[in-house]
Amino acid sequence: MALKDTLLRIFTWWNGQTVSLALITARSGQFVGTDELGNKYYKAQGPLIDRSVGPERRWVVYNGYADASRVPPGWRAWLCHNNDIPPSEEDYRPREWQKPHEENMTGTAAAYRPKGSQLSWGARPAATGDYVPWTPGE
């Protein structure tokens, strides 16, 4: 591992796995599976430290930038304890209404800016005149 990668792992939390998470994963993590984006999923081995945390600790190690929208629906259900069986252990197929992942472009030049937004290109549309303000006593 290059020096740059080592420093990034020590000082950043948004780019892959931090050193502390790597230690916790190595010490008490049981590998569960990988999704199509390369994210790796783990669950805690052994007894719970604190029963107030829930039935079982589950976590994801992102492949690259940590963006929660990069977790597919099947894995999201498993992480949130909505499903006990991870998608790697079942024949999971996305439903027809589930859309494929689209990267979150907020804050970039490719962000969605609807017509009429102050950040969109071009002129704002003219007011339609259908707005009637409320005044007290009417």
Side-chain angles (χ1 to χ4, degrees):
M1 183 181 307
L3 177 63
K4 177 184 173 188
D5 294 332
T6 304
L7 291 174
L8 281 174
R9 289 183 70 182
I10 292 172
F11 294 109
T12 63
W13 58 265
W14 58 86
N15 191 9
Q17 178 173 231
T18 62
V19 173
S20 61
L21 181 59
L23 292 173
I24 291 170
T25 302
R27 191 175 128 243
S28 65
Q30 178 183 353
F31 180 73
V32 176
T34 306
D35 65 13
E36 60 271 9
L37 298 172
N39 300 327
K40 296 179 182 177
Y41 298 88
Y42 296 89
K43 65 180 180 178
Q45 296 183 46
L48 289 174
I49 298 170
D50 183 7
R51 289 273 175 207
S52 66
V53 204
E56 173 182 70
R57 297 200 73 174
R58 299 173 179 175
W59 65 93
V60 58
V61 175
Y62 293 100
N63 179 21
Y65 190 75
D67 180 9
S69 70
R70 295 185 61 209
V71 176
W75 284 106
R76 169 77 58 207
W78 180 78
L79 284 172
C80 295
H81 297 278
N82 293 336
N83 192 358
D84 291 332
I85 302 170
S88 61
E89 295 178 9
E90 67 180 355
D91 186 24
Y92 176 78
R93 286 184 302 275
R95 308 256 199 280
E96 62 275 357
W97 48 265
Q98 290 176 329
K99 295 182 179 181
H101 174 262
E102 291 183 16
E103 187 176 354
N104 185 354
M105 302 305 284
T106 303
T108 67
Y112 173 69
R113 294 180 174 93
K115 189 174 181 180
S117 168
Q118 293 179 346
L119 298 175
S120 67
W121 303 104
R124 293 186 66 181
T128 58
D130 61 351
Y131 174 73
V132 179
W134 175 81
T135 55
E138 286 185 5

